Amino acid sequence: MARSLFLKEEAKASTRTLAKTVGISEAVIFQRFGTKEDLFFAAIMPPEAQLESIVNLQRLAWSSTGDHRP
């Protein structure tokens, strides 16, 4: 839900709106994430497993073209 809100409203997204939408208090968000910035990065960054898959796919693409980047 946070990811969708940030993609739609960018950094202007309100933690109050997010909390209301998911049925929790805004305090719960800050207990879990500390800051709005921490919530933003957690919502926007793909999970580590997905990130590893993305990197591996890029490496495969590079190797298929003869590019041997690290």
Side-chain angles (χ1 to χ4, degrees):
M1 180 51 81
R3 181 181 178 88
S4 298
L5 184 64
F6 281 121
L7 288 173
K8 181 181 174 188
E9 298 184 21
E10 301 173 349
K12 298 175 290 200
S14 163
T15 54
R16 185 174 296 136
T17 300
L18 175 62
K20 192 175 197 178
T21 301
V22 297
I24 60 173
S25 72
E26 194 175 15
V28 171
I29 292 173
F30 290 109
Q31 288 171 351
R32 172 66 175 89
F33 294 99
T35 67
K36 182 178 174 181
E37 290 79 16
D38 290 341
L39 171 62
F40 176 82
F41 286 112
I44 296 301
M45 291 299 294
E48 190 174 321
Q50 281 186 320
L51 189 57
E52 188 174 325
S53 295
I54 292 167
V55 169
N56 288 335
L57 285 173
Q58 185 59 56
R59 286 185 179 144
L60 283 172
W62 286 332
S63 67
S64 71
T65 62
D67 189 338
H68 298 289
R69 297 181 197 193

